Structure formats: C-alpha cells, structure tokens
PDB file of all heavy atoms in Angstrom:
ATOM      1  N   ASN A1146     -12.403  11.369  17.860  1.00  0.00           N
ATOM      2  CA  ASN A1146     -12.475   9.977  17.349  1.00  0.00           C
ATOM      3  C   ASN A1146     -12.664   9.963  15.877  1.00  0.00           C
ATOM      4  O   ASN A1146     -13.788  10.074  15.373  1.00  0.00           O
ATOM      5  CB  ASN A1146     -13.652   9.232  18.050  1.00  0.00           C
ATOM      6  CG  ASN A1146     -13.334   8.783  19.465  1.00  0.00           C
ATOM      7  OD1 ASN A1146     -12.349   8.231  19.743  1.00  0.00           O
ATOM      8  ND2 ASN A1146     -14.259   9.095  20.401  1.00  0.00           N
ATOM      9  N   ASN A1147     -11.549   9.963  15.219  1.00  0.00           N
ATOM     10  CA  ASN A1147     -11.545  10.050  13.764  1.00  0.00           C
ATOM     11  C   ASN A1147     -11.191   8.750  13.032  1.00  0.00           C
ATOM     12  O   ASN A1147     -11.572   8.567  11.901  1.00  0.00           O
ATOM     13  CB  ASN A1147     -10.623  11.192  13.259  1.00  0.00           C
ATOM     14  CG  ASN A1147     -10.369  11.131  11.822  1.00  0.00           C
ATOM     15  OD1 ASN A1147     -11.191  11.548  11.002  1.00  0.00           O
ATOM     16  ND2 ASN A1147      -9.136  10.668  11.484  1.00  0.00           N
ATOM     17  N   ALA A1148     -10.430   7.867  13.639  1.00  0.00           N
ATOM     18  CA  ALA A1148      -9.900   6.676  12.976  1.00  0.00           C
ATOM     19  C   ALA A1148     -11.067   5.916  12.345  1.00  0.00           C
ATOM     20  O   ALA A1148     -12.066   5.642  13.010  1.00  0.00           O
ATOM     21  CB  ALA A1148      -9.096   5.874  13.924  1.00  0.00           C
ATOM     22  N   GLY A1149     -10.780   5.460  11.068  1.00  0.00           N
ATOM     23  CA  GLY A1149     -11.876   4.683  10.412  1.00  0.00           C
ATOM     24  C   GLY A1149     -11.281   3.900   9.254  1.00  0.00           C
ATOM     25  O   GLY A1149     -10.265   4.280   8.693  1.00  0.00           O
ATOM     26  N   ILE A1150     -12.101   2.950   8.786  1.00  0.00           N
ATOM     27  CA  ILE A1150     -11.734   2.210   7.627  1.00  0.00           C
ATOM     28  C   ILE A1150     -13.043   1.994   6.785  1.00  0.00           C
ATOM     29  O   ILE A1150     -14.135   2.130   7.354  1.00  0.00           O
ATOM     30  CB  ILE A1150     -11.080   0.849   7.893  1.00  0.00           C
ATOM     31  CG1 ILE A1150     -12.027   0.050   8.881  1.00  0.00           C
ATOM     32  CG2 ILE A1150      -9.662   0.973   8.505  1.00  0.00           C
ATOM     33  CD1 ILE A1150     -11.460  -1.351   9.220  1.00  0.00           C
ATOM     34  N   GLY A1151     -12.879   1.714   5.528  1.00  0.00           N
ATOM     35  CA  GLY A1151     -14.065   1.245   4.702  1.00  0.00           C
ATOM     36  C   GLY A1151     -13.889  -0.080   4.153  1.00  0.00           C
ATOM     37  O   GLY A1151     -12.847  -0.598   3.993  1.00  0.00           O
ATOM     38  N   LEU A1152     -14.970  -0.681   3.754  1.00  0.00           N
ATOM     39  CA  LEU A1152     -14.962  -2.023   3.135  1.00  0.00           C
ATOM     40  C   LEU A1152     -15.588  -1.797   1.701  1.00  0.00           C
ATOM     41  O   LEU A1152     -16.742  -1.292   1.573  1.00  0.00           O
ATOM     42  CB  LEU A1152     -15.839  -2.933   3.942  1.00  0.00           C
ATOM     43  CG  LEU A1152     -15.231  -3.200   5.334  1.00  0.00           C
ATOM     44  CD1 LEU A1152     -16.234  -4.090   6.084  1.00  0.00           C
ATOM     45  CD2 LEU A1152     -13.984  -3.873   5.328  1.00  0.00           C
ATOM     46  N   LEU A1153     -14.893  -2.237   0.696  1.00  0.00           N
ATOM     47  CA  LEU A1153     -15.251  -2.056  -0.640  1.00  0.00           C
ATOM     48  C   LEU A1153     -16.428  -2.954  -1.106  1.00  0.00           C
ATOM     49  O   LEU A1153     -17.224  -2.488  -1.918  1.00  0.00           O
ATOM     50  CB  LEU A1153     -14.040  -2.240  -1.557  1.00  0.00           C
ATOM     51  CG  LEU A1153     -14.254  -2.014  -3.090  1.00  0.00           C
ATOM     52  CD1 LEU A1153     -14.573  -0.518  -3.360  1.00  0.00           C
ATOM     53  CD2 LEU A1153     -12.989  -2.369  -3.803  1.00  0.00           C
ATOM     54  N   HIS A1154     -16.524  -4.103  -0.557  1.00  0.00           N
ATOM     55  CA  HIS A1154     -17.400  -5.138  -1.183  1.00  0.00           C
ATOM     56  C   HIS A1154     -18.753  -5.266  -0.343  1.00  0.00           C
ATOM     57  O   HIS A1154     -18.915  -4.612   0.635  1.00  0.00           O
ATOM     58  CB  HIS A1154     -16.789  -6.521  -1.234  1.00  0.00           C
ATOM     59  CG  HIS A1154     -15.509  -6.503  -2.050  1.00  0.00           C
ATOM     60  ND1 HIS A1154     -15.451  -6.006  -3.353  1.00  0.00           N
ATOM     61  CD2 HIS A1154     -14.218  -6.770  -1.757  1.00  0.00           C
ATOM     62  CE1 HIS A1154     -14.177  -6.054  -3.802  1.00  0.00           C
ATOM     63  NE2 HIS A1154     -13.426  -6.577  -2.804  1.00  0.00           N
ATOM     64  N   ASN A1155     -19.635  -6.011  -0.919  1.00  0.00           N
ATOM     65  CA  ASN A1155     -20.860  -6.324  -0.276  1.00  0.00           C
ATOM     66  C   ASN A1155     -20.713  -6.955   1.030  1.00  0.00           C
ATOM     67  O   ASN A1155     -19.682  -7.768   1.220  1.00  0.00           O
ATOM     68  CB  ASN A1155     -21.885  -7.115  -1.093  1.00  0.00           C
ATOM     69  CG  ASN A1155     -22.357  -6.296  -2.242  1.00  0.00           C
ATOM     70  OD1 ASN A1155     -22.600  -5.161  -2.237  1.00  0.00           O
ATOM     71  ND2 ASN A1155     -22.459  -6.996  -3.456  1.00  0.00           N
ATOM     72  N   PHE A1156     -21.645  -6.946   1.964  1.00  0.00           N
ATOM     73  CA  PHE A1156     -21.482  -7.583   3.248  1.00  0.00           C
ATOM     74  C   PHE A1156     -21.308  -9.085   3.049  1.00  0.00           C
ATOM     75  O   PHE A1156     -20.393  -9.633   3.722  1.00  0.00           O
ATOM     76  CB  PHE A1156     -22.879  -7.358   4.094  1.00  0.00           C
ATOM     77  CG  PHE A1156     -22.930  -8.120   5.384  1.00  0.00           C
ATOM     78  CD1 PHE A1156     -22.068  -7.821   6.306  1.00  0.00           C
ATOM     79  CD2 PHE A1156     -23.871  -9.119   5.544  1.00  0.00           C
ATOM     80  CE1 PHE A1156     -22.162  -8.417   7.598  1.00  0.00           C
ATOM     81  CE2 PHE A1156     -23.990  -9.780   6.699  1.00  0.00           C
ATOM     82  CZ  PHE A1156     -23.162  -9.457   7.766  1.00  0.00           C
ATOM     83  N   GLU A1157     -22.029  -9.763   2.208  1.00  0.00           N
ATOM     84  CA  GLU A1157     -21.872 -11.190   2.054  1.00  0.00           C
ATOM     85  C   GLU A1157     -20.578 -11.568   1.372  1.00  0.00           C
ATOM     86  O   GLU A1157     -20.086 -12.797   1.576  1.00  0.00           O
ATOM     87  CB  GLU A1157     -22.963 -11.755   1.172  1.00  0.00           C
ATOM     88  CG  GLU A1157     -22.953 -11.502  -0.319  1.00  0.00           C
ATOM     89  CD  GLU A1157     -23.569 -10.124  -0.681  1.00  0.00           C
ATOM     90  OE1 GLU A1157     -23.899  -9.279   0.273  1.00  0.00           O
ATOM     91  OE2 GLU A1157     -23.952  -9.912  -1.787  1.00  0.00           O
ATOM     92  N   ASP A1158     -19.799 -10.615   0.799  1.00  0.00           N
ATOM     93  CA  ASP A1158     -18.523 -10.923   0.120  1.00  0.00           C
ATOM     94  C   ASP A1158     -17.364 -10.625   1.054  1.00  0.00           C
ATOM     95  O   ASP A1158     -16.218 -11.017   0.744  1.00  0.00           O
ATOM     96  CB  ASP A1158     -18.386 -10.090  -1.114  1.00  0.00           C
ATOM     97  CG  ASP A1158     -19.388 -10.469  -2.170  1.00  0.00           C
ATOM     98  OD1 ASP A1158     -19.684 -11.613  -2.281  1.00  0.00           O
ATOM     99  OD2 ASP A1158     -19.871  -9.611  -3.008  1.00  0.00           O
ATOM    100  N   ASN A1159     -17.615  -9.846   2.065  1.00  0.00           N
ATOM    101  CA  ASN A1159     -16.490  -9.582   3.122  1.00  0.00           C
ATOM    102  C   ASN A1159     -16.302 -10.679   3.969  1.00  0.00           C
ATOM    103  O   ASN A1159     -17.185 -11.184   4.565  1.00  0.00           O
ATOM    104  CB  ASN A1159     -16.778  -8.250   3.805  1.00  0.00           C
ATOM    105  CG  ASN A1159     -16.811  -7.047   2.883  1.00  0.00           C
ATOM    106  OD1 ASN A1159     -16.004  -6.882   1.974  1.00  0.00           O
ATOM    107  ND2 ASN A1159     -17.705  -6.154   3.210  1.00  0.00           N
ATOM    108  N   PRO A1160     -14.960 -11.042   4.322  1.00  0.00           N
ATOM    109  CA  PRO A1160     -14.783 -11.964   5.453  1.00  0.00           C
ATOM    110  C   PRO A1160     -15.341 -11.435   6.721  1.00  0.00           C
ATOM    111  O   PRO A1160     -15.226 -10.213   7.070  1.00  0.00           O
ATOM    112  CB  PRO A1160     -13.199 -12.043   5.483  1.00  0.00           C
ATOM    113  CG  PRO A1160     -12.805 -11.650   4.163  1.00  0.00           C
ATOM    114  CD  PRO A1160     -13.786 -10.590   3.651  1.00  0.00           C
ATOM    115  N   VAL A1161     -15.961 -12.229   7.567  1.00  0.00           N
ATOM    116  CA  VAL A1161     -16.606 -11.784   8.719  1.00  0.00           C
ATOM    117  C   VAL A1161     -15.534 -11.076   9.774  1.00  0.00           C
ATOM    118  O   VAL A1161     -15.949 -10.175  10.416  1.00  0.00           O
ATOM    119  CB  VAL A1161     -17.381 -12.907   9.434  1.00  0.00           C
ATOM    120  CG1 VAL A1161     -16.440 -13.869  10.086  1.00  0.00           C
ATOM    121  CG2 VAL A1161     -18.372 -12.271  10.473  1.00  0.00           C
ATOM    122  N   GLU A1162     -14.299 -11.571   9.623  1.00  0.00           N
ATOM    123  CA  GLU A1162     -13.284 -10.951  10.539  1.00  0.00           C
ATOM    124  C   GLU A1162     -13.089  -9.473  10.149  1.00  0.00           C
ATOM    125  O   GLU A1162     -12.838  -8.643  11.013  1.00  0.00           O
ATOM    126  CB  GLU A1162     -12.000 -11.745  10.481  1.00  0.00           C
ATOM    127  CG  GLU A1162     -12.065 -13.111  11.143  1.00  0.00           C
ATOM    128  CD  GLU A1162     -12.532 -13.028  12.614  1.00  0.00           C
ATOM    129  OE1 GLU A1162     -12.050 -12.091  13.306  1.00  0.00           O
ATOM    130  OE2 GLU A1162     -13.369 -13.835  13.049  1.00  0.00           O
ATOM    131  N   GLU A1163     -13.178  -9.150   8.840  1.00  0.00           N
ATOM    132  CA  GLU A1163     -12.991  -7.850   8.343  1.00  0.00           C
ATOM    133  C   GLU A1163     -14.267  -7.010   8.857  1.00  0.00           C
ATOM    134  O   GLU A1163     -14.111  -5.841   9.194  1.00  0.00           O
ATOM    135  CB  GLU A1163     -12.874  -7.727   6.909  1.00  0.00           C
ATOM    136  CG  GLU A1163     -11.527  -8.193   6.345  1.00  0.00           C
ATOM    137  CD  GLU A1163     -11.347  -7.900   4.860  1.00  0.00           C
ATOM    138  OE1 GLU A1163     -12.207  -7.098   4.286  1.00  0.00           O
ATOM    139  OE2 GLU A1163     -10.500  -8.509   4.194  1.00  0.00           O
ATOM    140  N   GLU A1164     -15.387  -7.547   8.787  1.00  0.00           N
ATOM    141  CA  GLU A1164     -16.616  -6.836   9.285  1.00  0.00           C
ATOM    142  C   GLU A1164     -16.505  -6.589  10.761  1.00  0.00           C
ATOM    143  O   GLU A1164     -16.808  -5.468  11.248  1.00  0.00           O
ATOM    144  CB  GLU A1164     -17.847  -7.714   8.964  1.00  0.00           C
ATOM    145  CG  GLU A1164     -18.213  -7.743   7.519  1.00  0.00           C
ATOM    146  CD  GLU A1164     -18.877  -6.382   7.010  1.00  0.00           C
ATOM    147  OE1 GLU A1164     -19.076  -5.549   7.904  1.00  0.00           O
ATOM    148  OE2 GLU A1164     -19.140  -6.252   5.853  1.00  0.00           O
ATOM    149  N   LYS A1165     -15.964  -7.609  11.523  1.00  0.00           N
ATOM    150  CA  LYS A1165     -15.931  -7.355  12.967  1.00  0.00           C
ATOM    151  C   LYS A1165     -14.889  -6.253  13.374  1.00  0.00           C
ATOM    152  O   LYS A1165     -15.070  -5.424  14.201  1.00  0.00           O
ATOM    153  CB  LYS A1165     -15.465  -8.630  13.653  1.00  0.00           C
ATOM    154  CG  LYS A1165     -16.589  -9.742  13.631  1.00  0.00           C
ATOM    155  CD  LYS A1165     -16.084 -11.096  14.047  1.00  0.00           C
ATOM    156  CE  LYS A1165     -15.528 -11.152  15.448  1.00  0.00           C
ATOM    157  NZ  LYS A1165     -15.014 -12.478  15.802  1.00  0.00           N
ATOM    158  N   ARG A1166     -13.744  -6.288  12.591  1.00  0.00           N
ATOM    159  CA  ARG A1166     -12.714  -5.222  12.770  1.00  0.00           C
ATOM    160  C   ARG A1166     -13.259  -3.883  12.422  1.00  0.00           C
ATOM    161  O   ARG A1166     -13.044  -2.887  13.213  1.00  0.00           O
ATOM    162  CB  ARG A1166     -11.472  -5.600  11.877  1.00  0.00           C
ATOM    163  CG  ARG A1166     -10.408  -4.578  11.928  1.00  0.00           C
ATOM    164  CD  ARG A1166      -9.151  -5.202  11.217  1.00  0.00           C
ATOM    165  NE  ARG A1166      -8.081  -4.286  11.022  1.00  0.00           N
ATOM    166  CZ  ARG A1166      -7.864  -3.429   9.969  1.00  0.00           C
ATOM    167  NH1 ARG A1166      -8.706  -3.504   8.903  1.00  0.00           N
ATOM    168  NH2 ARG A1166      -6.841  -2.552   9.907  1.00  0.00           N
ATOM    169  N   HIS A1167     -13.998  -3.746  11.353  1.00  0.00           N
ATOM    170  CA  HIS A1167     -14.554  -2.593  10.918  1.00  0.00           C
ATOM    171  C   HIS A1167     -15.571  -1.994  11.961  1.00  0.00           C
ATOM    172  O   HIS A1167     -15.534  -0.888  12.359  1.00  0.00           O
ATOM    173  CB  HIS A1167     -15.412  -2.874   9.555  1.00  0.00           C
ATOM    174  CG  HIS A1167     -16.219  -1.828   9.062  1.00  0.00           C
ATOM    175  ND1 HIS A1167     -17.563  -1.672   9.266  1.00  0.00           N
ATOM    176  CD2 HIS A1167     -15.920  -0.789   8.183  1.00  0.00           C
ATOM    177  CE1 HIS A1167     -18.057  -0.671   8.694  1.00  0.00           C
ATOM    178  NE2 HIS A1167     -17.084  -0.065   7.997  1.00  0.00           N
ATOM    179  N   LEU A1168     -16.470  -2.821  12.476  1.00  0.00           N
ATOM    180  CA  LEU A1168     -17.359  -2.424  13.541  1.00  0.00           C
ATOM    181  C   LEU A1168     -16.676  -2.019  14.813  1.00  0.00           C
ATOM    182  O   LEU A1168     -17.027  -1.056  15.561  1.00  0.00           O
ATOM    183  CB  LEU A1168     -18.413  -3.594  13.800  1.00  0.00           C
ATOM    184  CG  LEU A1168     -19.466  -3.283  14.868  1.00  0.00           C
ATOM    185  CD1 LEU A1168     -20.343  -2.051  14.423  1.00  0.00           C
ATOM    186  CD2 LEU A1168     -20.405  -4.513  15.051  1.00  0.00           C
ATOM    187  N   LYS A1169     -15.645  -2.839  15.198  1.00  0.00           N
ATOM    188  CA  LYS A1169     -14.876  -2.509  16.418  1.00  0.00           C
ATOM    189  C   LYS A1169     -14.261  -1.103  16.347  1.00  0.00           C
ATOM    190  O   LYS A1169     -14.343  -0.330  17.297  1.00  0.00           O
ATOM    191  CB  LYS A1169     -13.864  -3.582  16.598  1.00  0.00           C
ATOM    192  CG  LYS A1169     -12.953  -3.381  17.912  1.00  0.00           C
ATOM    193  CD  LYS A1169     -11.899  -4.434  17.951  1.00  0.00           C
ATOM    194  CE  LYS A1169     -11.145  -4.388  19.284  1.00  0.00           C
ATOM    195  NZ  LYS A1169     -11.873  -4.740  20.448  1.00  0.00           N
ATOM    196  N   LEU A1170     -13.632  -0.801  15.230  1.00  0.00           N
ATOM    197  CA  LEU A1170     -12.936   0.526  15.174  1.00  0.00           C
ATOM    198  C   LEU A1170     -13.960   1.598  15.184  1.00  0.00           C
ATOM    199  O   LEU A1170     -13.749   2.710  15.916  1.00  0.00           O
ATOM    200  CB  LEU A1170     -12.183   0.550  13.846  1.00  0.00           C
ATOM    201  CG  LEU A1170     -11.412   1.856  13.625  1.00  0.00           C
ATOM    202  CD1 LEU A1170     -10.421   2.144  14.687  1.00  0.00           C
ATOM    203  CD2 LEU A1170     -10.721   1.738  12.277  1.00  0.00           C
ATOM    204  N   HIS A1171     -15.097   1.502  14.472  1.00  0.00           N
ATOM    205  CA  HIS A1171     -16.046   2.680  14.326  1.00  0.00           C
ATOM    206  C   HIS A1171     -16.987   2.825  15.577  1.00  0.00           C
ATOM    207  O   HIS A1171     -17.235   3.996  15.905  1.00  0.00           O
ATOM    208  CB  HIS A1171     -16.883   2.471  13.140  1.00  0.00           C
ATOM    209  CG  HIS A1171     -16.234   2.667  11.784  1.00  0.00           C
ATOM    210  ND1 HIS A1171     -15.780   3.911  11.346  1.00  0.00           N
ATOM    211  CD2 HIS A1171     -15.856   1.808  10.856  1.00  0.00           C
ATOM    212  CE1 HIS A1171     -15.187   3.802  10.239  1.00  0.00           C
ATOM    213  NE2 HIS A1171     -15.146   2.563   9.869  1.00  0.00           N
ATOM    214  N   ALA A1172     -17.265   1.655  16.240  1.00  0.00           N
ATOM    215  CA  ALA A1172     -18.157   1.788  17.317  1.00  0.00           C
ATOM    216  C   ALA A1172     -17.559   1.508  18.668  1.00  0.00           C
ATOM    217  O   ALA A1172     -17.544   2.365  19.513  1.00  0.00           O
ATOM    218  CB  ALA A1172     -19.415   0.831  17.141  1.00  0.00           C
ATOM    219  N   GLU A1173     -16.966   0.322  18.842  1.00  0.00           N
ATOM    220  CA  GLU A1173     -16.434  -0.059  20.157  1.00  0.00           C
ATOM    221  C   GLU A1173     -15.270   0.822  20.629  1.00  0.00           C
ATOM    222  O   GLU A1173     -15.317   1.259  21.750  1.00  0.00           O
ATOM    223  CB  GLU A1173     -16.052  -1.560  20.106  1.00  0.00           C
ATOM    224  CG  GLU A1173     -15.496  -2.070  21.540  1.00  0.00           C
ATOM    225  CD  GLU A1173     -15.039  -3.460  21.527  1.00  0.00           C
ATOM    226  OE1 GLU A1173     -15.676  -4.285  20.769  1.00  0.00           O
ATOM    227  OE2 GLU A1173     -14.073  -3.731  22.223  1.00  0.00           O
ATOM    228  N   THR A1174     -14.372   0.972  19.701  1.00  0.00           N
ATOM    229  CA  THR A1174     -13.151   1.782  20.101  1.00  0.00           C
ATOM    230  C   THR A1174     -13.586   3.189  20.442  1.00  0.00           C
ATOM    231  O   THR A1174     -13.134   3.807  21.449  1.00  0.00           O
ATOM    232  CB  THR A1174     -12.176   1.798  18.974  1.00  0.00           C
ATOM    233  OG1 THR A1174     -11.665   0.464  18.768  1.00  0.00           O
ATOM    234  CG2 THR A1174     -10.975   2.698  19.340  1.00  0.00           C
ATOM    235  N   ALA A1175     -14.525   3.869  19.669  1.00  0.00           N
ATOM    236  CA  ALA A1175     -14.932   5.191  19.978  1.00  0.00           C
ATOM    237  C   ALA A1175     -15.625   5.271  21.308  1.00  0.00           C
ATOM    238  O   ALA A1175     -15.520   6.175  22.105  1.00  0.00           O
ATOM    239  CB  ALA A1175     -15.928   5.682  18.796  1.00  0.00           C
ATOM    240  N   LEU A1176     -16.403   4.205  21.679  1.00  0.00           N
ATOM    241  CA  LEU A1176     -17.111   4.205  22.935  1.00  0.00           C
ATOM    242  C   LEU A1176     -16.100   4.074  24.075  1.00  0.00           C
ATOM    243  O   LEU A1176     -16.176   4.775  24.990  1.00  0.00           O
ATOM    244  CB  LEU A1176     -18.004   2.891  22.914  1.00  0.00           C
ATOM    245  CG  LEU A1176     -18.853   2.685  24.214  1.00  0.00           C
ATOM    246  CD1 LEU A1176     -20.204   1.941  23.883  1.00  0.00           C
ATOM    247  CD2 LEU A1176     -18.033   1.657  25.179  1.00  0.00           C
ATOM    248  N   VAL A1177     -15.151   3.179  23.930  1.00  0.00           N
ATOM    249  CA  VAL A1177     -14.058   3.004  24.904  1.00  0.00           C
ATOM    250  C   VAL A1177     -13.303   4.260  25.187  1.00  0.00           C
ATOM    251  O   VAL A1177     -13.075   4.671  26.375  1.00  0.00           O
ATOM    252  CB  VAL A1177     -13.136   1.769  24.593  1.00  0.00           C
ATOM    253  CG1 VAL A1177     -11.986   1.716  25.522  1.00  0.00           C
ATOM    254  CG2 VAL A1177     -14.010   0.540  24.624  1.00  0.00           C
ATOM    255  N   LEU A1178     -12.855   4.867  24.189  1.00  0.00           N
ATOM    256  CA  LEU A1178     -12.056   6.132  24.293  1.00  0.00           C
ATOM    257  C   LEU A1178     -12.901   7.253  24.898  1.00  0.00           C
ATOM    258  O   LEU A1178     -12.424   8.103  25.711  1.00  0.00           O
ATOM    259  CB  LEU A1178     -11.401   6.522  22.995  1.00  0.00           C
ATOM    260  CG  LEU A1178     -10.465   5.502  22.368  1.00  0.00           C
ATOM    261  CD1 LEU A1178      -9.760   6.122  21.160  1.00  0.00           C
ATOM    262  CD2 LEU A1178      -9.416   4.991  23.352  1.00  0.00           C
ATOM    263  N   SER A1179     -14.117   7.408  24.465  1.00  0.00           N
ATOM    264  CA  SER A1179     -14.989   8.384  24.955  1.00  0.00           C
ATOM    265  C   SER A1179     -15.256   8.230  26.432  1.00  0.00           C
ATOM    266  O   SER A1179     -15.261   9.082  27.211  1.00  0.00           O
ATOM    267  CB  SER A1179     -16.388   8.412  24.211  1.00  0.00           C
ATOM    268  OG  SER A1179     -16.175   8.728  22.874  1.00  0.00           O
ATOM    269  N   HIS A1180     -15.401   6.945  26.859  1.00  0.00           N
ATOM    270  CA  HIS A1180     -15.681   6.629  28.318  1.00  0.00           C
ATOM    271  C   HIS A1180     -14.424   6.991  29.079  1.00  0.00           C
ATOM    272  O   HIS A1180     -14.566   7.613  30.193  1.00  0.00           O
ATOM    273  CB  HIS A1180     -15.953   5.146  28.430  1.00  0.00           C
ATOM    274  CG  HIS A1180     -16.323   4.684  29.787  1.00  0.00           C
ATOM    275  ND1 HIS A1180     -15.514   4.338  30.763  1.00  0.00           N
ATOM    276  CD2 HIS A1180     -17.594   4.582  30.333  1.00  0.00           C
ATOM    277  CE1 HIS A1180     -16.095   4.004  31.823  1.00  0.00           C
ATOM    278  NE2 HIS A1180     -17.402   4.126  31.605  1.00  0.00           N
ATOM    279  N   ALA A1181     -13.256   6.756  28.532  1.00  0.00           N
ATOM    280  CA  ALA A1181     -12.074   7.115  29.266  1.00  0.00           C
ATOM    281  C   ALA A1181     -11.836   8.612  29.416  1.00  0.00           C
ATOM    282  O   ALA A1181     -11.499   9.096  30.467  1.00  0.00           O
ATOM    283  CB  ALA A1181     -10.850   6.494  28.584  1.00  0.00           C
ATOM    284  N   ALA A1182     -12.109   9.314  28.367  1.00  0.00           N
ATOM    285  CA  ALA A1182     -11.927  10.753  28.377  1.00  0.00           C
ATOM    286  C   ALA A1182     -12.950  11.441  29.221  1.00  0.00           C
ATOM    287  O   ALA A1182     -12.654  12.470  29.920  1.00  0.00           O
ATOM    288  CB  ALA A1182     -12.039  11.271  26.915  1.00  0.00           C
ATOM    289  N   LEU A1183     -14.182  10.896  29.312  1.00  0.00           N
ATOM    290  CA  LEU A1183     -15.285  11.545  30.025  1.00  0.00           C
ATOM    291  C   LEU A1183     -15.056  11.682  31.541  1.00  0.00           C
ATOM    292  O   LEU A1183     -15.364  12.676  32.147  1.00  0.00           O
ATOM    293  CB  LEU A1183     -16.626  10.816  29.790  1.00  0.00           C
ATOM    294  CG  LEU A1183     -17.528  11.364  28.679  1.00  0.00           C
ATOM    295  CD1 LEU A1183     -18.678  10.340  28.568  1.00  0.00           C
ATOM    296  CD2 LEU A1183     -18.045  12.696  29.036  1.00  0.00           C
ATOM    297  N   LYS A1184     -14.341  10.681  32.121  1.00  0.00           N
ATOM    298  CA  LYS A1184     -14.109  10.725  33.498  1.00  0.00           C
ATOM    299  C   LYS A1184     -13.436  11.961  33.948  1.00  0.00           C
ATOM    300  O   LYS A1184     -13.805  12.655  34.912  1.00  0.00           O
ATOM    301  CB  LYS A1184     -13.406   9.430  33.955  1.00  0.00           C
ATOM    302  CG  LYS A1184     -14.237   8.202  33.747  1.00  0.00           C
ATOM    303  CD  LYS A1184     -13.404   6.915  34.322  1.00  0.00           C
ATOM    304  CE  LYS A1184     -14.257   5.697  34.119  1.00  0.00           C
ATOM    305  NZ  LYS A1184     -13.606   4.490  34.645  1.00  0.00           N
ATOM    306  N   GLY A1185     -12.283  12.215  33.321  1.00  0.00           N
ATOM    307  CA  GLY A1185     -11.483  13.482  33.666  1.00  0.00           C
ATOM    308  C   GLY A1185     -12.218  14.714  33.291  1.00  0.00           C
ATOM    309  O   GLY A1185     -12.204  15.672  34.021  1.00  0.00           O
TER     310      GLY A1185
END
C-alpha cells in the first residue's frame, strides 16, 4: 500500500473535499485493500 498524496497548505486553507480525499487514500483505501488481501 504505497499510493499517497500530499497537501501543501494549512488545514484551514485546504478545501474539505481535498482533505477527505487525502484521508481516504491514506487510511480507508489501505484498510480496504489490506482486508481483501488478508482473507486469501
């Protein structure tokens, strides 16, 4: 699980949709893919 992105600005300056996308990629997607791989 390597895919990632960074956000250049402060939290208050970033659109919340960018923050949600950022969190999804780093945490939720890694969780989902790990869960799928673990079964096999």
